Amino acid sequence: MFTGIAGILGFSVLSGLLVTVMVAPALAVTGITASSTIGIFDSLPEYIQIGQQPERNTIYATYTGSGNSGGYYPIATIYDQNRQEVRYDQISPYALDAAVDGEDRRFFDHGGVDVPSVIRAALGNATGTSSSGASTLSMQLVKNIYVQQALQEPTEELRQKAYDAATSPSFDRKLKEMKLAIGLEKTYTKKEILAAYLNIAFFGDNTYGIQAAAQRYYSVDAKDLTLPQAASLIAIVQFPNQRGLFDPENYAANKDRRDVILYAMFDSGDITQKEYDEAVATPVDDTTLKPQEPQNGCIGAYAYAKWFCDFVVKNVKNYEFLGANEQERLDNWKRGGYSLYTTLDLDVQINAQDQTWAYAPNTETALELGSSTVTVQPGTGRVLIMTENKVFDDTLEGGGAGTSAVNYNTSFDYGGSSGIQPGSTYKVFTLLDWLKSGKGLYEKVNGDARTEEQSKFKDSCADGGGWGGPYQFKNDSGESGPFTVYGATTGSVNGAFISMALQLDLCDIRHVAESLGVERADGTHLQTNPSSVLGTNEVTPLSMAAAYAGIAAGGLYCKPIIVDRVIDPTGKELPGQPTDCRQAIEPEVAATAAYAMAGVMSGGTGTSSNPDDGVPIIGKTGTTDSSVQTWVITATTKAATAVWVGNSIGKYPIRSYETAGISGGLLRHVIMRSTVGTINAKYGGGDFPEPSAALLTGAGLEVPDVRGLTPEAAKALLVGLGFGYEDGGQVDSEVPAGKVATTDPAPGSQSARASVIKVYISKGNKVAFPDVVGDGKTNTFGDASGTLNGQGYNQVTETCLALPVGTAPDDPRIDKVSASDPAPGAYVLPNTKVKLTVTKLACP
């Protein structure tokens, strides 16, 4: 007769009944009046929201291979609680029936409180014959909501306090649950309440909700649970530590409770006798379980995407789609339920990671070998590839040799890296500043290895300048002499770039690099000391790849982004990270720099990285002192990629290392060539814009002809025009002794303003070689050699030249000198060796 009473009686009437049956023993002992207790009940809140419970976040990458769904592939699940909420219609009917029949038979009849059960429980508690709490599913849901709220408290102390309050055996808490359960029934449908209960319930081993439990213990979705599976899961909820299927010792207890639930389902008419018999006969053991270990966090992510996953998670505080401020974003992420569709492209990532593992083995013991590859899309900043040779492991225990939690691609704040010196890949920023200043690619500069006084460098940065002392630098291949800027770039000549920097402002070079997003891993400003020109800042590969992407995009720099779009917990699609681009350098500057960088990849130092597949490519190589670090960075119009191979710790010379039969200095190229080839096969690439004609020649000057002038006069003229002057020493020459014999660059060539012109002084020791050939019909070898001997040429030899067949025997050329080496009139040193050619009818 009490059926539905809780749903039809008013709170004031119901409260009297509940108080009577729940607290009569307390009234007798304490003397509290019934009316005061009714007041307590009526003062309790009437309404509680089910709300969103903590659940999984899922991270996806783009992929067209096997296992993709709609062009995406899940690479990681990140959660505070392993839960994935599902709708009522996504839950097996067996699980729905098991929950009702096993936990609350009159669920669909009562209004939140099952009064007959309450009465029985109260009488049992009063007489000591039962300890039942008579909790309905609605009441259990209320309790679980408060437990979940307790778990979200910020400190352990507050969490424990709130948890104790939510689970206290006091009659006040039970009254509160009852009233709020009635409120739930007035607000939500039975199906909504039942689904919410199954989504919030704890199934042991940090597994929450029926979907996560089905996957955790049976590797199926909740909708596909069989009858015995569903009953076994519902058997867990009241005592998850004693009946949870994560521990074989719990199997027997689980089966006992499962069989009780199965009988309740049969008794209620929800299953047949046959279904009951078959289900009861099904064992609960390792033969029926198919456990799936939870893969929480990036350590459990897809093997090819763990480093990218870590970068995604460490950027949570920056995602505007998660909230208005950092704390709100972190809280929402912890609550979970988001699906992040990222920029990572497994179609190209998998090969890049395989190449990194193959040619920079993390098992190496001779040195602390490190390697990374990262690719950024020009014009968008989307990160397509992120690899590392180490296996990701961020556990407190660590994974031992070959593992790491430090992401070499990123900064310290987003991966723990202290950065890597980029070597000559950093020279492109001096090249760009050179072109921004109106100087040209074909202007010549001094490429000699040498020592320069650091005070000669201009540095207008407030935190720079004041450099002093000598700066000695070498050229990697021993180059010397003047180079065009184009040739210096393709050949990576240190001396030439130092000469360029001497004509620029080191602070401006920094500004160019920073405008293209280059960052030090420690977050401080790029350093501007003279050696920074050759790449001594500890930078991040990601920022270098993004900078080269900016050059490839015509000077348009785009900040790297990693999330394309998002599905929030309600199923609503949200935009991911917005593109954040700016015109960092002028398009004509970028195009002209790209022209020189294309030479690097075709005949220059980067040739070995070029896949030669017809896709235009630009790039630059870099090797630090003693080959401690080696780099190559390339770009097409579709993708910019940075590859680093070097020492994560220590200074082992990479060029002295070898693996898989490949010299250490070539490893970066092997990785790059394959990686870019795979990228090009998918993305292609177009032509780069033509270079600026004005920036090819620049605003340089023509080197004047100072030959024949005194050194003093030549210096005055050169310095007056803005050139530097250097004494090249004495050389053999026909020019009068003490006068200028020649210059380097040569007279008439184009050279940069302030370039050093090397001036060579004549020894005056060359003379014109006499003409002993004449018309080729006069002097015999004896005549000619006699003449030469008389002028001091005593090293004269003869060689024969046969006349054509059929020449008349009286031809006047026979036995006559027809040529000499040196040629007549050539300027030579005295007693130079001479070779005379004598024509004959036939040569021996």
Side-chain angles (χ1 to χ4, degrees):
M1 66 178 179
F2 294 107
T3 301
I5 192 171
I8 61 176
L9 292 178
F11 276 133
S12 60
V13 177
L14 179 61
S15 63
L17 176 61
L18 294 176
V19 167
T20 299
V21 299
M22 288 293 294
V23 302
L27 294 176
V29 174
T30 64
I32 300 174
T33 64
S35 61
S36 65
T37 310
I38 293 172
I40 293 173
F41 187 86
D42 287 339
S43 69
L44 292 171
E46 299 180 9
Y47 177 67
I48 188 172
Q49 284 187 319
I50 293 175
Q52 179 203 349
Q53 302 308 317
E55 55 182 318
R56 303 171 187 163
N57 298 298
T58 305
I59 302 174
Y60 294 88
T62 62
Y63 189 45
T64 61
S66 176
N68 85 85
S69 177
Y72 289 96
Y73 187 86
I75 59 172
T77 53
I78 314 292
Y79 53 81
D80 190 55
Q81 293 182 2
N82 184 16
R83 177 188 283 109
Q84 181 180 350
E85 292 196 1
V86 288
R87 301 186 308 273
Y88 183 89
D89 61 1
Q90 293 175 310
I91 303 172
S92 165
Y94 290 128
L96 297 170
D97 291 339
V100 173
D101 296 339
E103 298 293 324
D104 186 1
R105 285 194 176 195
R106 284 181 287 276
F107 173 71
F108 286 102
D109 298 322
H110 63 64
V113 177
D114 186 3
V115 177
S117 295
V118 171
I119 293 173
R120 282 196 305 273
L123 293 174
N125 289 335
T127 61
T129 60
S130 172
S131 59
S132 170
S135 291
T136 64
L137 289 176
S138 301
M139 292 168 63
Q140 291 182 53
L141 175 57
V142 170
K143 176 183 176 181
N144 279 326
I145 290 173
Y146 277 110
V147 168
Q148 289 300 316
Q149 291 174 353
L151 296 177
Q152 302 309 307
E153 291 291 340
T155 67
E156 180 60 35
E157 181 179 356
L158 290 175
R159 284 191 290 272
Q160 189 62 52
K161 182 179 179 181
Y163 181 83
D164 290 343
T167 58
S168 167
S170 68
F171 77 86
D172 284 345
R173 178 187 67 80
K174 185 63 70 173
L175 285 174
K176 183 178 182 181
E177 282 181 7
M178 289 179 178
K179 186 170 184 179
L180 289 174
I182 295 167
L184 274 180
E185 297 272 354
K186 290 183 175 183
T187 307
Y188 299 97
T189 68
K190 287 289 186 178
K191 288 183 176 181
E192 289 174 330
I193 292 171
L194 182 53
Y197 170 77
L198 289 173
N199 277 318
I200 202 172
F202 179 49
F203 291 86
D205 198 28
N206 197 31
T207 303
Y208 292 83
I210 191 70
Q211 173 73 354
Q215 294 173 339
R216 170 69 179 87
Y217 299 122
Y218 295 109
S219 297
V220 298
D221 289 327
K223 65 181 177 62
D224 298 320
L225 286 167
T226 65
L227 172 58
Q229 290 173 344
S232 267
L233 291 184
I234 300 304
I236 297 173
V237 294
Q238 293 301 331
F239 297 98
N241 290 331
Q242 290 76 34
R243 299 175 185 162
L245 296 173
F246 57 87
D247 187 348
E249 292 189 3
N250 296 343
Y251 291 169
N254 180 276
K255 185 178 186 305
D256 290 343
R257 177 58 185 168
R258 182 204 70 175
D259 291 350
V260 170
I261 293 172
L262 287 170
Y263 183 79
M265 296 173 73
F266 170 69
D267 190 50
S268 298
D270 288 324
I271 60 174
T272 66
Q273 180 72 55
K274 180 180 179 183
E275 287 177 313
Y276 170 74
D277 292 341
E278 290 178 350
V280 168
T282 302
V284 176
D285 57 24
D286 291 338
T287 66
T288 56
L289 291 169
K290 189 178 179 182
Q292 182 182 90
E293 288 300 320
Q295 300 293 310
N296 183 25
C298 294
I299 191 169
Y302 181 53
Y304 285 91
K306 293 185 178 185
W307 291 108
F308 183 81
C309 169
D310 184 59
F311 189 52
V312 169
V313 172
K314 284 187 167 64
N315 270 280
V316 163
K317 62 185 179 181
N318 301 319
Y319 298 144
E320 295 180 3
F321 54 77
L322 286 176
N325 55 60
E326 183 174 316
Q327 190 57 53
E328 184 177 342
R329 295 163 191 165
L330 293 171
D331 290 344
N332 283 334
W333 180 255
K334 182 178 181 181
R335 192 171 298 113
Y338 290 88
S339 294
L340 272 57
Y341 294 87
T342 71
T343 62
L344 187 71
D345 186 349
L346 293 180
D347 290 345
V348 292
Q349 166 77 10
I350 291 172
N351 173 68
Q353 182 64 74
D354 279 339
Q355 295 299 311
T356 304
W357 280 330
Y359 297 106
N362 53 45
T363 56
E364 182 55 63
T365 58
L367 73 158
E368 291 291 339
L369 183 64
S371 180
S372 69
T373 298
V374 61
T375 299
V376 176
Q377 189 175 62
T380 67
R382 297 175 70 247
V383 179
L384 304 177
I385 289 174
M386 182 175 286
T387 80
E388 181 171 327
N389 69 323
K390 304 293 186 181
V391 174
F392 177 79
D393 191 321
D394 62 351
T395 61
L396 291 177
E397 301 81 10
T403 69
S404 177
V406 177
N407 190 337
Y408 299 140
N409 292 285
T410 64
S411 66
F412 182 85
D413 288 343
Y414 293 92
S417 172
S418 57
I420 309 161
Q421 290 189 353
S424 294
T425 61
Y426 196 84
K427 288 175 181 174
V428 296
F429 307 115
T430 298
L431 172 64
L432 290 167
D433 192 44
W434 177 268
L435 297 172
K436 279 173 62 71
S437 301
K439 302 178 186 297
L441 277 184
Y442 293 142
E443 295 184 37
K444 288 188 175 182
V445 293
N446 180 14
D448 289 345
R450 58 194 188 275
T451 299
E452 290 283 2
E453 175 55 47
Q454 295 189 77
S455 61
K456 293 170 61 177
F457 292 85
K458 180 182 178 181
D459 185 357
S460 62
C461 281
D463 58 346
W467 312 114
Y471 172 43
Q472 185 178 13
F473 51 89
K474 300 182 295 181
N475 286 327
D476 191 53
S477 299
E479 301 93 339
S480 62
F483 282 83
T484 64
V485 172
Y486 177 90
T489 301
T490 61
S492 197
V493 182
N494 290 344
F497 276 86
I498 293 298
S499 296
M500 293 161 65
L502 283 164
Q503 300 182 48
L504 303 169
D505 185 335
L506 295 174
C507 191
D508 290 342
I509 296 173
R510 177 170 91 177
H511 289 158
V512 169
E514 289 180 337
S515 73
L516 285 165
V518 179
E519 62 175 1
R520 285 182 56 86
D522 60 11
T524 62
H525 274 302
L526 294 170
Q527 297 172 0
T528 56
N529 50 299
S531 64
S532 69
V533 173
L534 304 183
T536 57
N537 276 287
E538 289 82 10
V539 299
T540 66
L542 176 59
S543 70
M544 290 294 287
Y548 276 55
I551 298 171
L556 182 71
Y557 167 73
C558 297
K559 185 178 179 181
I561 58 174
I562 50 180
V563 180
D564 282 333
R565 63 186 183 90
V566 180
I567 304 295
D568 76 3
T570 69
K572 180 181 178 182
E573 182 163 338
L574 304 174
Q577 292 176 286
T579 55
D580 184 3
C581 303
R582 62 173 181 266
Q583 194 68 39
I585 53 176
E586 298 85 351
E588 61 271 19
V589 170
T592 308
Y595 176 74
M597 294 165 69
V600 173
M601 304 302 297
S602 179
T605 58
T607 303
S608 296
S609 283
N610 192 337
D612 294 321
D613 54 9
V615 176
I617 187 170
I618 65 174
K620 186 71 186 72
T621 57
T623 304
T624 63
D625 288 349
S626 302
S627 69
V628 172
Q629 315 294 0
T630 65
W631 290 66
V632 59
I633 308 179
T634 67
T636 67
T637 57
K638 299 296 185 180
T641 301
V643 171
W644 161 71
V645 178
N647 290 262
S648 59
I649 302 173
K651 296 184 177 180
Y652 191 100
I654 296 299
R655 284 174 172 166
S656 298
Y657 173 70
E658 181 178 306
T659 187
I662 299 171
S663 170
L666 294 177
L667 294 175
R668 54 185 162 167
H669 297 301
V670 175
I671 296 171
M672 179 65 81
R673 184 182 178 92
S674 177
T675 298
V676 173
T678 303
I679 292 171
N680 290 350
K682 178 171 183 177
Y683 289 91
D687 292 328
F688 289 92
E690 291 296 318
S692 163
L695 292 179
L696 289 176
T697 57
L701 295 173
E702 185 178 289
V703 177
D705 189 351
V706 294
R707 290 174 295 186
L709 298 181
T710 64
E712 295 75 18
K715 182 176 182 180
L717 177 58
L718 291 169
V719 171
L721 291 173
F723 292 111
Y725 176 92
E726 180 181 345
D727 185 350
Q730 290 186 319
V731 294
D732 297 323
S733 173
E734 72 280 8
V735 174
K739 300 297 181 66
V740 175
T742 188
T743 60
D744 191 3
S749 62
Q750 198 80 3
S751 193
R753 293 178 185 273
S755 292
V756 174
I757 308 301
K758 191 172 291 188
V759 176
Y760 298 94
I761 310 304
S762 174
K763 294 180 181 179
N765 56 348
K766 284 190 174 182
V767 296
F769 187 73
D771 184 1
V772 294
V773 176
D775 58 3
K777 303 174 184 178
T778 305
N779 293 326
T780 65
F781 175 77
D783 296 335
S785 60
T787 300
L788 291 172
N789 292 157
Q791 296 187 29
Y793 297 97
N794 297 315
Q795 302 181 70
V796 182
T797 59
E798 177 182 354
T799 186
C800 176
L801 174 65
L803 290 168
V805 176
T807 300
D810 58 352
D811 190 299
R813 294 174 295 172
I814 296 173
D815 294 327
K816 301 298 190 296
V817 174
S818 58
S820 66
D821 181 19
Y827 288 99
V828 298
L829 293 173
N831 199 28
T832 293
K833 291 181 179 180
V834 178
K835 182 181 293 184
L836 299 178
T837 300
V838 179
T839 54
K840 298 178 179 293
L841 282 174
C843 293

